[in-house]
Coordinates of all heavy atoms in Angstrom, one line a residue:
Chain A
Q826 N -21.4 -35.5 9.6 CA -22.0 -34.0 9.4 C -23.4 -34.3 8.8 O -23.7 -35.2 7.8 CB -21.2 -33.4 8.4 CG -21.6 -32.0 8.0 CD -20.8 -31.3 7.1 OE1 -19.6 -31.4 7.0 NE2 -21.4 -30.5 6.0
L845 N -27.3 -24.3 -4.8 CA -26.9 -23.3 -3.9 C -27.3 -23.4 -2.4 O -26.5 -23.2 -1.7 CB -27.4 -22.0 -4.5 CG -26.7 -20.6 -4.0 CD1 -25.2 -20.8 -4.3 CD2 -27.4 -19.5 -4.7
P846 N -28.6 -23.8 -2.1 CA -28.9 -23.9 -0.6 C -28.0 -25.0 -0.1 O -27.7 -24.8 1.1 CB -30.4 -24.3 -0.8 CG -30.9 -23.7 -2.0 CD -29.7 -23.9 -3.1
R847 N -27.8 -26.1 -0.9 CA -26.9 -27.1 -0.3 C -25.6 -26.6 0.0 O -25.0 -27.1 1.1 CB -26.9 -28.4 -1.3 CG -25.9 -29.5 -0.9 CD -25.7 -30.5 -1.9 NE -27.0 -31.2 -2.2 CZ -27.5 -32.1 -1.5 NH1 -26.8 -32.7 -0.4 NH2 -28.7 -32.7 -1.8
L848 N -25.0 -25.8 -0.8 CA -23.7 -25.3 -0.6 C -23.7 -24.4 0.7 O -22.9 -24.6 1.5 CB -23.4 -24.3 -1.8 CG -21.9 -23.6 -1.6 CD1 -20.7 -24.5 -2.0 CD2 -21.8 -22.4 -2.5
V849 N -24.8 -23.5 0.9 CA -24.8 -22.7 2.1 C -25.0 -23.6 3.3 O -24.3 -23.3 4.3 CB -26.0 -21.7 1.8 CG1 -26.2 -21.0 3.2 CG2 -25.8 -20.8 0.8
Y850 N -25.9 -24.6 3.2 CA -26.0 -25.5 4.3 C -24.7 -26.3 4.7 O -24.5 -26.2 5.9 CB -27.1 -26.6 4.0 CG -27.5 -27.5 5.1 CD1 -28.4 -27.1 6.0 CD2 -26.9 -28.8 5.1 CE1 -28.7 -28.0 7.1 CE2 -27.3 -29.6 6.1 CZ -28.1 -29.3 7.0 OH -28.5 -30.1 8.2
D851 N -24.0 -26.8 3.7 CA -22.8 -27.4 4.0 C -21.8 -26.5 4.6 O -21.0 -26.9 5.4 CB -22.3 -28.2 2.8 CG -23.2 -29.4 2.5 OD1 -24.0 -29.8 3.3 OD2 -23.0 -29.9 1.3
Q852 N -21.5 -25.4 4.0 CA -20.4 -24.5 4.3 C -20.6 -23.4 5.4 O -19.7 -23.0 6.1 CB -20.0 -23.8 3.0 CG -19.5 -24.8 1.8 CD -18.5 -25.7 2.3 OE1 -17.6 -25.3 3.0 NE2 -18.5 -26.9 1.7
F853 N -21.9 -23.1 5.7 CA -22.2 -22.1 6.7 C -23.2 -22.4 7.7 O -23.5 -21.6 8.5 CB -22.6 -20.8 5.9 CG -21.6 -20.3 5.0 CD1 -21.7 -20.6 3.6 CD2 -20.4 -19.7 5.4 CE1 -20.8 -20.1 2.7 CE2 -19.4 -19.2 4.5 CZ -19.6 -19.3 3.3
V854 N -23.7 -23.6 7.7 CA -24.8 -24.1 8.6 C -24.1 -25.2 9.5 O -23.8 -25.1 10.7 CB -26.1 -24.4 8.1 CG1 -27.0 -24.9 9.2 CG2 -26.7 -23.3 7.4
V855 N -23.8 -26.3 8.9 CA -23.5 -27.4 9.6 C -21.8 -27.6 9.6 O -21.3 -28.6 10.2 CB -24.0 -28.8 9.1 CG1 -25.5 -28.8 9.4 CG2 -23.7 -28.9 7.6
Y856 N -21.2 -26.7 8.8 CA -19.7 -26.8 8.6 C -19.0 -27.0 10.0 O -19.1 -26.2 11.0 CB -19.2 -25.3 8.1 CG -17.8 -25.2 8.1 CD1 -16.9 -26.0 7.2 CD2 -17.1 -24.3 8.9 CE1 -15.6 -25.9 7.2 CE2 -15.9 -24.0 8.8 CZ -15.0 -24.9 7.9 OH -13.7 -24.7 7.9
P857 N -18.3 -28.1 10.3 CA -17.7 -28.4 11.6 C -16.5 -27.5 11.8 O -15.5 -27.4 11.2 CB -17.2 -29.8 11.4 CG -17.2 -30.1 9.9 CD -17.9 -29.1 9.2
T858 N -16.7 -26.8 13.0 CA -15.7 -25.7 13.4 C -15.2 -26.1 14.6 O -15.8 -26.5 15.7 CB -16.5 -24.4 13.4 OG1 -17.3 -24.2 12.3 CG2 -15.5 -23.2 13.7
A870 N -15.2 -12.8 9.9 CA -16.7 -12.4 9.7 C -16.8 -11.0 9.6 O -17.5 -10.3 8.9 CB -17.7 -13.0 10.7
A873 N -15.7 -9.6 6.3 CA -16.7 -9.9 5.3 C -17.8 -8.8 5.5 O -18.3 -8.2 4.3 CB -17.4 -11.3 5.6
V1030 N -11.7 -13.4 -1.9 CA -12.3 -13.8 -0.6 C -12.9 -15.2 -0.8 O -12.9 -16.1 0.0 CB -13.3 -12.7 -0.1 CG1 -14.3 -13.3 1.0 CG2 -12.6 -11.6 0.4
A1031 N -13.7 -15.4 -1.9 CA -14.3 -16.6 -2.2 C -13.3 -17.7 -2.3 O -13.5 -18.8 -1.7 CB -15.1 -16.5 -3.5
H1033 N -10.4 -17.7 -0.8 CA -9.9 -17.8 0.6 C -10.8 -18.7 1.4 O -10.3 -19.6 2.1 CB -9.8 -16.3 1.1 CG -9.1 -16.1 2.5 ND1 -7.9 -16.4 2.8 CD2 -9.7 -15.6 3.7 CE1 -7.6 -16.2 4.0 NE2 -8.7 -15.7 4.6
I1034 N -12.1 -18.5 1.3 CA -13.0 -19.3 2.1 C -13.1 -20.7 1.6 O -13.2 -21.6 2.3 CB -14.3 -18.6 2.2 CG1 -14.3 -17.3 2.8 CG2 -15.4 -19.5 2.9 CD1 -15.5 -16.4 2.7
W1035 N -13.0 -20.8 0.3 CA -13.1 -22.2 -0.2 C -11.8 -22.9 0.1 O -11.9 -24.1 0.7 CB -13.0 -21.9 -1.8 CG -13.1 -23.3 -2.6 CD1 -13.2 -24.6 -2.1 CD2 -12.9 -23.5 -4.0 NE1 -13.4 -25.6 -3.1 CE2 -13.1 -24.7 -4.3 CE3 -12.6 -22.6 -5.1 CZ2 -13.0 -25.3 -5.6 CZ3 -12.4 -23.1 -6.4 CH2 -12.8 -24.4 -6.6
L1037 N -10.1 -22.4 2.8 CA -10.1 -22.7 4.3 C -11.0 -23.9 4.6 O -10.8 -24.7 5.3 CB -10.8 -21.4 4.9 CG -11.0 -21.5 6.4 CD1 -9.8 -21.7 7.2 CD2 -11.9 -20.4 6.9
H1038 N -12.2 -23.9 3.8 CA -13.2 -24.9 4.0 C -12.8 -26.3 3.6 O -13.3 -27.4 4.0 CB -14.6 -24.5 3.5 CG -15.3 -23.6 4.5 ND1 -16.7 -23.5 4.6 CD2 -14.7 -22.5 5.2 CE1 -16.9 -22.5 5.5 NE2 -15.7 -21.9 5.8
N1042 N -10.8 -25.0 9.9 CA -10.0 -23.9 10.5 C -8.9 -24.5 11.4 O -8.9 -25.5 11.8 CB -11.1 -23.3 11.6 CG -12.2 -22.5 10.9 OD1 -13.0 -23.0 10.3 ND2 -12.0 -21.2 11.2
L1057 N -18.0 -28.1 16.5 CA -19.4 -27.7 16.7 C -19.9 -27.2 15.3 O -18.9 -26.8 14.6 CB -19.5 -26.5 17.7 CG -19.2 -27.0 19.2 CD1 -19.1 -25.7 20.0 CD2 -20.4 -27.8 19.7
P1058 N -21.1 -27.3 15.0 CA -21.7 -26.8 13.8 C -21.4 -25.3 13.7 O -21.6 -24.6 14.7 CB -23.1 -27.2 13.8 CG -23.4 -27.6 15.1 CD -22.2 -28.0 15.8
F1059 N -21.1 -24.6 12.6 CA -20.9 -23.3 12.5 C -22.1 -22.5 12.9 O -21.9 -21.4 13.6 CB -20.6 -22.9 10.9 CG -20.0 -21.5 10.9 CD1 -18.8 -21.2 11.2 CD2 -21.0 -20.6 10.2 CE1 -18.5 -19.8 11.0 CE2 -20.5 -19.3 10.0 CZ -19.3 -18.9 10.3
H1060 N -23.3 -22.8 12.6 CA -24.5 -22.2 12.9 C -25.3 -23.2 14.0 O -25.4 -24.3 13.8 CB -25.4 -22.0 11.8 CG -26.7 -21.3 12.2 ND1 -26.7 -19.9 12.4 CD2 -28.0 -21.9 12.4 CE1 -28.0 -19.7 12.8 NE2 -28.7 -20.8 12.7
P1061 N -25.6 -22.8 15.1 CA -25.7 -21.3 15.6 C -24.4 -21.0 16.4 O -24.3 -19.7 16.7 CB -26.9 -21.3 16.5 CG -26.9 -22.7 17.1 CD -26.3 -23.5 16.1
Y1062 N -23.5 -21.9 16.7 CA -22.5 -21.5 17.7 C -21.6 -20.3 17.3 O -21.3 -19.6 18.0 CB -21.7 -22.8 18.0 CG -22.5 -23.9 18.6 CD1 -23.1 -24.9 17.9 CD2 -22.6 -23.8 20.0 CE1 -23.9 -25.8 18.5 CE2 -23.5 -24.7 20.7 CZ -24.1 -25.7 20.0 OH -24.9 -26.6 20.5
F1063 N -21.1 -20.4 16.0 CA -20.1 -19.4 15.6 C -20.8 -18.2 14.9 O -20.3 -17.1 14.9 CB -19.0 -20.1 14.8 CG -18.2 -21.0 15.6 CD1 -18.4 -22.3 15.7 CD2 -17.1 -20.5 16.5 CE1 -17.7 -23.3 16.5 CE2 -16.5 -21.3 17.3 CZ -16.8 -22.7 17.4
T1064 N -22.1 -18.4 14.3 CA -22.6 -17.3 13.8 C -23.0 -16.4 14.9 O -22.9 -15.2 14.8 CB -24.0 -17.7 13.1 OG1 -24.6 -18.8 13.9 CG2 -23.6 -18.3 11.7
V1065 N -23.5 -16.9 16.0 CA -23.8 -16.1 17.2 C -22.6 -15.5 17.8 O -22.5 -14.2 18.2 CB -24.5 -16.9 18.3 CG1 -24.6 -16.2 19.6 CG2 -25.9 -17.4 17.8
D1067 N -19.7 -14.7 16.3 CA -19.3 -13.8 15.4 C -20.2 -12.4 15.5 O -19.7 -11.3 15.4 CB -19.3 -14.2 13.8 CG -18.2 -15.2 13.6 OD1 -17.2 -15.2 14.3 OD2 -18.2 -15.8 12.6

Side-chain angles (χ1 to χ4, degrees):
Chain A
Q826 181 177 323
L845 197 59
R847 178 182 294 278
L848 180 82
V849 173
Y850 184 81
D851 287 346
Q852 301 302 325
F853 300 100
V854 178
V855 294
Y856 172 69
T858 312
V1030 167
H1033 185 64
I1034 296 174
W1035 184 8
L1037 173 72
H1038 283 213
N1042 284 73
L1057 290 168
F1059 188 73
H1060 180 76
Y1062 294 95
F1063 294 94
T1064 44
V1065 167
D1067 285 344

